[in-house]
Amino acid sequence: MSLGRRSSDSPPLFSSDSEAEAPEEAAGRRGGGEEAASGVSAVRARLIVCILCYINLLNYMDRFTVAGVLPDIENYFQIDDGKSGLLQTVFICSYMVLAPVFGYLGDRHNRKYIMCGGIAFWSVVTLASSFTPQQHFWALLLTRGLVGVGEASYSTIAPTIIADLYVKEKRTSMLSVFYFAIPVGSGLGYIVGSQVSAVAQDWHWALRVTPALGLIAVLLLLFVVREPKRGAVEARAELHQTSWLTDLQALSRNRSFVLSTLGFTAVAFVTGSLALWAPTFLFRAAVFSGQKAPCADEAHCASSESLIFGIITVITGVLGVFSGVQVSRYLRKKTPRADPYVCAAGLLLSAPFLYLAIVFAQGSTAATYVFIFLGETFLSMNWAIVADILLYVVVPTRRSTAEALQIVVSHLLGDAGSPYMIGVLSDSLRRSDSFLWRFRSLQLSLLLCSFVAVVGGAFFLATALFVESDRTRAESHVPAADEPIVVPKSGRSTRVPVSSVLI
């Protein structure tokens, strides 16, 4: 027998967490194509993608609701920029720390139940954060940190489910739809946060919208989503679960994965900084130029900047993701290195426009919004493409772990620290508490984003040197004879060599 075929008495290749139809039932169906191989019908596969998109949108909507009401929070708790930046940092840190845990679990256990538990917990904690009293800012920090559990349980797993439902161009299309939810959800976070706060005249109500929507997401996961077979649509029957240490060693040697992760770290740094601080920066610019009055009410600041920035984020996100995918598809006909080239171009083109947006804020509001629009459009070109790069340079049984590792690195060096870093830098540059210096210090701090974007573009250009060979290596991967694997047997995991289950 060939190396890729298993003996009849070998243990099952995939864990027993799959809820898919039996192999003979799937084989008996006609016209199912790639979806039939996964054990999930074509109609259900599309429903699953729609549900995952809804939850992805909800996650980002919740994350940026706080940014949409940040001036209100600063005024309510009487905190400086450094403490304000901590709100995003503690969330990202918990998200980052828990991502490897859920990545490990996602490669070995039923993924939809993991997501259900995480999202239910996130919904409860988000609701609890909306009742934080004025004297206990630490409680808001704590609950925002715990919210990271929900996103860690979801973001590491959802793309791998899509990867087990579709391949090639269909996968790219579905991933682009999935990643449309990031900018749209982010923009809705600003819009919902600012508008609910304005209607209720209290920012606390802005945090009470997403928990109810989160419970709906849990019900949809439980009753609609079905676990697909891992790697079945790619006809990768020779793949086995390997130990976590083996997975990490393999990923660390994958140059395309490492370099694209560093490039995406720059994206996370820039988007994390802008996401939290852009509305506040625009509000301070309006106060400095005399277009707006400073905050007068303790629970609500009259500001339209969050609404405008939210609308811009939605539009630029859709344009950026769509244009990035389309340009990549066109260039793939000419070069297999198209994906990293597009990512690099997106970052390098966004840098000068973000720089101009920050510089022009004090003089021309219209010019500032135009430059922000262009900068965010180019920045958003990366989302779906980076995810696609990871999925085709990493073998199916290591994808959740790879997603988790990319999340840890990109957030550890990116948006886990960038909001807090920008806030602390702003505080250190401020010479007085005047409107002039509150605006100027934040302006100088945000200029750092443009330089980080250029560094990220360089990492993606380096990725282009290796992506073709790494993709070929992943597609033709066969486990080594001495590679330790983990085979589920009677509900228990046992580490055995590959040679004991392959002939």
Side-chain angles (χ1 to χ4, degrees):
M1 295 177 66
S2 66
L3 184 65
R5 296 183 60 190
R6 301 171 52 245
S7 59
S8 59
D9 57 348
S10 299
L13 289 175
F14 299 100
S15 61
S16 59
D17 64 351
S18 177
E19 299 173 10
E21 301 160 8
E24 58 271 16
E25 293 174 352
R29 299 213 321 263
R30 295 292 183 266
E34 295 163 357
E35 294 76 36
S38 69
V40 179
S41 68
V43 174
R44 186 181 289 269
R46 295 189 188 98
L47 285 174
I48 291 173
V49 172
C50 289
I51 292 170
L52 296 180
C53 289
Y54 165 71
I55 302 172
N56 202 30
L57 184 147
L58 198 59
N59 276 335
Y60 280 85
M61 181 176 164
D62 176 79
R63 183 193 290 194
F64 295 112
T65 298
V66 170
V69 294
L70 189 60
D72 304 74
I73 293 175
E74 283 190 324
N75 192 55
Y76 182 77
F77 289 104
Q78 293 297 299
I79 55 177
D80 57 21
D81 289 347
K83 288 184 178 178
S84 299
L86 276 176
L87 285 170
Q88 189 77 343
T89 295
V90 296
F91 163 76
I92 295 297
C93 285
S94 69
Y95 169 43
M96 174 185 69
V97 169
L98 291 167
V101 176
F102 286 109
Y104 177 87
L105 295 174
D107 276 335
R108 291 157 178 83
H109 301 285
N110 189 293
R111 291 171 284 188
K112 89 168 187 179
Y113 293 130
I114 295 172
M115 290 190 291
C116 285
I119 294 170
F121 179 80
W122 155 73
S123 299
V124 172
V125 173
T126 300
L127 182 62
S129 70
S130 70
F131 294 98
T132 306
Q134 189 173 12
Q135 297 79 18
H136 301 290
F137 176 68
W138 64 267
L140 182 62
L141 283 176
L142 176 63
T143 52
R144 291 308 296 173
L146 293 175
V147 167
V149 174
E151 191 157 342
S153 68
Y154 175 77
S155 297
T156 57
I157 294 174
T160 69
I161 293 179
I162 295 176
D164 287 335
L165 293 171
Y166 299 98
V167 293
K168 298 182 179 179
E169 292 299 319
K170 284 188 177 181
R171 176 187 293 170
T172 301
S173 298
M174 293 302 173
L175 283 173
S176 65
V177 173
F178 177 77
Y179 284 102
F180 274 135
I182 293 179
V184 173
S186 302
L188 287 176
Y190 297 116
I191 295 170
V192 171
S194 60
Q195 295 309 295
V196 170
S197 176
V199 171
Q201 293 295 303
D202 187 348
W203 65 269
H204 293 87
W205 283 96
L207 301 180
R208 296 167 186 168
V209 176
T210 53
L213 300 176
L215 295 179
I216 295 174
V218 172
L219 295 176
L220 289 173
L221 282 171
L222 286 173
F223 296 108
V224 179
V225 172
R226 172 175 288 171
E227 179 86 356
K229 295 179 182 179
R230 301 174 196 264
V233 294
E234 297 168 273
R236 306 297 298 276
E238 79 279 1
L239 296 179
H240 299 268
Q241 300 274 327
T242 54
S243 69
W244 191 59
L245 182 59
T246 300
D247 292 346
L248 292 181
Q249 290 173 340
L251 292 171
S252 67
R253 294 192 296 267
N254 189 322
R255 293 169 293 184
S256 295
F257 169 73
V258 171
L259 290 169
S260 62
T261 296
L262 292 175
F264 189 64
T265 299
V267 177
F269 185 100
V270 176
T271 54
S273 300
L274 293 177
L276 185 70
W277 288 114
T280 301
F281 171 68
L282 294 170
F283 174 71
R284 291 184 185 180
V287 172
F288 168 69
S289 62
Q291 300 175 35
K292 289 283 178 70
C295 292
D297 189 283
E298 206 171 60
H300 173 65
C301 290
S303 174
S304 60
E305 282 70 28
S306 293
L307 174 62
I308 297 173
F309 187 74
I311 294 172
I312 290 176
T313 300
V314 171
I315 297 173
T316 58
V318 172
L319 286 176
V321 173
F322 178 78
S323 60
V325 170
Q326 294 305 311
V327 171
S328 177
R329 280 178 173 171
Y330 174 77
L331 291 179
R332 282 176 186 174
K333 301 174 183 177
K334 302 179 180 296
T335 173
R337 302 175 177 179
D339 289 346
Y341 283 154
V342 173
C343 290
L347 273 174
L348 294 175
L349 289 171
S350 70
F353 291 115
L354 294 176
Y355 179 88
L356 292 172
I358 295 167
V359 170
F360 272 81
Q362 67 195 59
S364 173
T365 302
T368 299
Y369 282 123
V370 169
F371 290 133
I372 287 177
F373 186 94
L374 294 171
E376 284 211 321
T377 298
F378 287 118
L379 194 62
S380 298
M381 292 174 67
N382 292 272
W383 290 108
I385 302 176
V386 171
D388 209 10
I389 291 174
L390 182 148
L391 293 172
Y392 64 63
V393 300
V394 176
V395 296
T397 53
R398 292 175 179 147
R399 285 173 180 162
S400 288
T401 300
E403 290 281 354
L405 187 58
Q406 187 171 85
I407 285 172
V408 169
V409 174
S410 63
H411 291 303
L412 177 64
L413 303 178
D415 56 350
S418 64
Y420 179 66
M421 183 187 300
I422 295 296
V424 170
L425 185 58
S426 174
D427 288 337
S428 66
L429 292 173
R430 189 183 306 164
R431 298 181 184 177
S432 70
D433 202 35
S434 65
F435 295 135
L436 167 63
W437 278 106
R438 287 177 65 83
F439 161 71
R440 186 71 72 197
S441 61
L442 187 55
Q443 180 186 43
L444 294 173
S445 301
L446 286 172
L447 290 175
L448 181 63
C449 294
S450 295
F451 297 100
V452 173
V454 173
V455 174
F459 279 121
F460 279 120
L461 288 176
T463 303
L465 299 175
F466 308 106
V467 70
E468 188 175 4
S469 59
D470 287 336
R471 180 172 189 168
T472 301
R473 190 177 296 111
E475 291 175 346
S476 59
H477 174 76
V478 175
D482 59 347
E483 186 175 90
I485 68 171
V486 178
V487 179
K489 186 176 182 180
S490 301
R492 301 169 61 185
S493 295
T494 306
R495 185 178 298 176
V496 295
V498 173
S499 56
S500 67
V501 292
L502 292 178
I503 296 179

